[in-house]
Amino acid sequence: NAGVMQNPRHLVRRRGQEARLRCSPMKGHSHVYWYRQLPEEGLKFMVYLQKENIIDESGMPKERFSAEFPKEGPSILRIQQVVRGDSAAYFCASSPTGQGSQPQHFGDGTRLSIL
Amino acid sequence: SQQGEEDPQALSIQEGENATMNCSYKTSINNLQWYRQNSGRGLVHLILIRSNEREKHSGRLRVTLDTSKKSSSLLITASRAADTASYFCATDAPGYSTLTFGKGTMLLVSP
């Protein structure tokens, strides 16, 4: 499967635990975007990364949330000390360039549930 | 915020009918894209229209863009049950490297 791969598909955490969400972009894509989606809502941009660099993190909460895209390996979205309000679907997308004229290719998301 | 707004929020039609969804946005854009999302899945890109284009076709899809009204429409002709999904518009603005999505239209096509 050459598409965007996200894992896990479902993740359950208790309040106060850490959640790590992984995203492997499509082959040849070096630009990764993370979005959050609440039920019956559109996608809210969180962060945009290129290999080893954060390009735009304007949509990501300043506290508890962090993202990385190392030279080797998948992109990681990390949520520390999770709270009930973090329950959502988190989607990753990738593109070959950072241009808005390119479509983004999405993974099937990670559904995060906080107990 | 330049977030787009789709309307209607939900649309229910019979197979064979046409479905029209609208999207409005607030600021200048470079491009506007439409995506489909099936339940429990990620978004799939359908079509992109540039700000200097007025209409674009792809199979049963027809997209129009009116930059003076800051609006776009997506027409699906001869709909099928498999078209049942949520449809989102997304815009990218000058100086921004990211997409802004609307809240989407849920389309239900009944056999």
Side-chain angles (χ1 to χ4, degrees):
Chain A
N1 187 342
V4 177
M5 301 299 294
Q6 289 189 249
N7 69 82
R9 288 295 309 276
H10 300 273
L11 182 60
V12 179
R13 285 287 178 265
R14 297 188 182 279
R15 280 177 295 170
Q17 291 184 320
E18 178 180 290
R20 278 184 180 241
L21 287 61
R22 295 175 184 78
C23 169
S24 296
M26 280 185 72
K27 190 175 181 180
H29 289 191
S30 59
H31 297 255
V32 165
Y33 310 81
W34 285 94
Y35 297 88
R36 179 163 66 179
Q37 185 178 37
L38 294 171
E40 299 184 10
E41 293 273 331
L43 273 69
K44 293 286 197 299
F45 165 76
M46 297 182 74
V47 60
Y48 162 36
L49 309 101
Q50 198 180 356
K51 280 287 187 181
E52 300 186 272
N53 289 304
I54 295 175
I55 308 300
D56 183 346
E57 56 182 348
S58 59
M60 196 160 65
K62 295 287 187 287
E63 297 181 357
R64 303 190 298 108
F65 286 73
S66 61
E68 63 177 10
F69 189 15
K71 187 176 180 182
E72 301 291 336
S75 175
I76 306 286
L77 179 67
R78 182 182 177 204
I79 311 173
Q80 295 178 288
Q81 299 175 319
V82 296
V83 300
R84 288 247 170 89
D86 296 332
S87 294
Y90 291 83
F91 289 92
C92 165
S94 71
S95 68
T97 71
Q99 297 176 5
S101 59
Q102 294 287 323
Q104 294 184 7
H105 299 262
F106 283 80
D108 281 337
T110 293
R111 273 110 188 120
L112 176 63
S113 298
I114 309 301
L115 301 180
Chain B
S1 167
Q2 65 167 41
Q3 184 173 25
E5 293 280 340
E6 287 93 338
D7 92 275
Q9 287 188 317
L11 180 60
S12 182
I13 60 174
Q14 300 288 318
E15 264 191 329
E17 294 180 338
N18 295 341
T20 300
M21 289 159 271
N22 303 296
C23 166
S24 60
Y25 54 91
K26 297 179 180 176
T27 64
S28 298
I29 62 170
N30 287 331
N31 308 279
L32 186 143
Q33 304 183 38
W34 284 91
Y35 288 81
R36 183 188 74 220
Q37 184 180 34
N38 289 87
S39 181
R41 303 298 299 273
L43 276 68
V44 175
H45 178 259
L46 295 175
I47 195 166
L48 179 150
I49 187 165
R50 302 182 194 283
S51 60
N52 61 355
E53 297 177 308
R54 292 295 166 258
E55 187 171 314
K56 203 160 183 181
H57 297 253
S58 177
R60 294 184 296 113
L61 305 180
R62 172 179 170 249
V63 168
T64 61
L65 178 63
D66 186 337
T67 53
S68 67
K69 295 181 179 177
K70 292 186 171 59
S71 68
S72 172
S73 68
L74 171 67
L75 168 67
I76 304 174
T77 60
S79 63
R80 306 165 182 168
D83 294 328
T84 294
S86 292
Y87 292 81
F88 297 90
C89 67
T91 55
D92 71 285
Y96 289 87
S97 51
T98 58
L99 295 180
T100 300
F101 285 85
K103 292 187 176 181
T105 292
M106 292 180 61
L107 174 65
L108 173 63
V109 182
S110 301

